[in-house]
Amino acid sequence: MSSAGQFAVVFPGQGSQSVGMMSSFADSAVVRNTFAEASDALGQDLWQLAAEGPVDALSQTINTQPVMLTAGVATWRAWLEQGGARPVLLAGHSLGEYAALVAADVLEFAEAVKLVRFRAEAMQEAVPAGEGGMAAILNLSPELVEEACVEAAQGQSVAAANLNSPVQIVIAGHAAAVERAMEACKTRGAKRAVSLPVSAPFHSVLMKPAAERLAERLATTRFSAPRIPVLNNVDVKIESDPVAIRDALVRQAYSPVRWIETVEAMTAQGLAGVLEFGPGKVLAGLVKRINAELAVEAVIDAEALKRVVAQYRQV
């Protein structure tokens, strides 16, 4: 129990990375050791990549996924080392779910780093470059976005991929269908429709070949029962059986991230606050838009960590 009431910790996914994102933790032994562990697992210096870039390399899916996982786990470990309380619930947005599973002791960290590198490669190779796309739709209801996607498909695939907040939904699918859906959303009153600079149409049915490869890899990966409940993306459900957790991760690759419902489920559990662990403040902003009543903090650097630990110290 923390001194500030029960809370959840959430971990961001791709899109929150930036060069220099962990620089405030440069003197933290636990953070540096976490990056060293990940670097040893992959045979690649992830600390240098996070600290110095270049941005093009950091933004490549095969690099972004392990770096963001490592940043989230490093922040989690620093939190515990400084006396931060244990949350009653964990969740992650897309890739962030893997960090949540490491924090819950479901996955060994070094194994998870290799797993997300494999996941990134499988996703990258599932759809030839230029054939898929993603776009953010602003200020249009999920129902109208879905209607626009059905109209725009025309024999191709396009659908909601990230239900991020009531005013932000990301769509994904074939590039041409995404373009048509953007226009269809605008005609239905969307404030904006913005193409996203991504290398693959994540969380769309086009990722099924990647999910099949991921399923084979997950079958040989050791999973343990979670020590802290993890609310998953695909079903907005807490699973304790490793077989069910694996299955949810496979389906997560080609199914929408149901973030609005995830935050609503946290609220239903009576939580007082939500903390985002890792670079950026994307999830903190989304949580606030979904439920303004929740106390939300983004633990993005060493100073924020120290301040928030003082609020949520183990008692």
Side-chain angles (χ1 to χ4, degrees):
M1 183 65 184
S2 85
S3 56
Q6 294 189 325
F7 67 101
V9 166
V10 298
F11 296 90
Q14 276 182 253
S16 289
Q17 73 277 2
S18 61
V19 174
M21 62 190 187
M22 296 297 285
S23 59
S24 70
F25 291 106
D27 296 329
S28 167
V30 68
V31 168
R32 295 299 292 263
N33 289 342
T34 302
F35 270 83
E37 188 181 343
S39 299
D40 288 346
L42 294 182
Q44 178 185 12
D45 190 340
L46 295 189
W47 179 263
Q48 184 178 16
L49 183 62
E52 301 173 15
V55 68
D56 289 351
L58 183 61
S59 298
Q60 288 174 7
T61 297
I62 58 166
N63 291 326
T64 308
Q65 293 202 19
V67 168
M68 285 299 297
L69 170 72
T70 304
V73 172
T75 305
W76 167 255
R77 289 177 173 179
W79 170 265
L80 295 180
E81 184 192 54
Q82 291 192 27
R86 286 186 178 270
V88 296
L89 193 62
L90 297 164
H93 189 287
S94 185
L95 166 72
E97 192 165 304
Y98 288 80
L101 291 169
V102 173
D105 292 332
V106 172
L107 283 169
E108 293 284 338
F109 174 54
E111 190 61 43
V113 172
K114 290 184 269 194
L115 183 62
V116 300
R117 166 60 58 86
F118 177 85
R119 176 181 183 262
E121 289 170 346
M123 287 178 150
Q124 193 68 67
E125 292 163 10
V127 180
E131 286 191 14
M134 298 183 80
I137 310 300
L138 305 181
N139 287 74
L140 193 65
S141 73
E143 294 76 18
L144 286 175
V145 171
E146 183 182 4
E147 190 182 283
C149 287
V150 170
E151 178 190 295
Q154 298 177 23
Q156 293 185 313
S157 172
V158 60
N162 298 347
L163 296 150
N164 283 336
S165 82
V167 295
Q168 189 199 101
I169 294 169
V170 174
I171 59 173
H174 289 101
V178 169
E179 288 285 341
R180 290 192 295 269
M182 289 168 68
E183 291 307 312
C185 285
K186 285 178 189 172
T187 63
R188 283 167 173 79
K191 186 177 177 183
R192 290 179 71 202
V194 186
S195 290
L196 299 179
V198 293
S199 54
F202 304 118
H203 301 292
S204 74
V205 294
L206 300 182
M207 289 290 108
K208 278 200 170 180
E212 288 166 11
R213 291 176 60 191
L214 186 60
E216 292 176 13
R217 178 65 178 259
L218 288 168
T220 63
T221 303
R222 184 173 169 270
F223 278 60
S224 303
R227 293 192 180 180
I228 303 171
V230 178
L231 196 58
N232 69 30
N233 284 178
V234 70
D235 301 316
V236 194
K237 191 175 172 187
I238 293 167
E239 299 285 6
S240 56
D241 176 13
V243 174
I245 295 170
R246 279 192 187 92
D247 176 61
L249 287 176
V250 172
R251 289 182 293 118
Q252 189 228 51
Y254 62 82
S255 302
V257 175
R258 296 161 62 184
W259 195 250
I260 300 169
E261 292 168 87
T262 299
V263 175
E264 289 171 347
M266 290 177 182
T267 309
Q269 297 225 3
L271 301 185
V274 176
L275 307 181
E276 179 178 5
F277 278 16
K281 300 178 180 180
V282 172
L283 299 187
L286 295 179
V287 171
K288 268 295 185 193
R289 287 192 197 100
I290 297 164
N291 188 333
E293 302 301 309
L294 284 168
V296 182
E297 293 274 4
V299 183
I300 59 170
D301 54 30
E303 186 180 325
L305 178 67
K306 188 175 179 181
R307 175 173 49 77
V308 180
V309 163
Q311 293 175 255
Y312 292 89
R313 188 171 294 284
Q314 191 72 45
V315 293

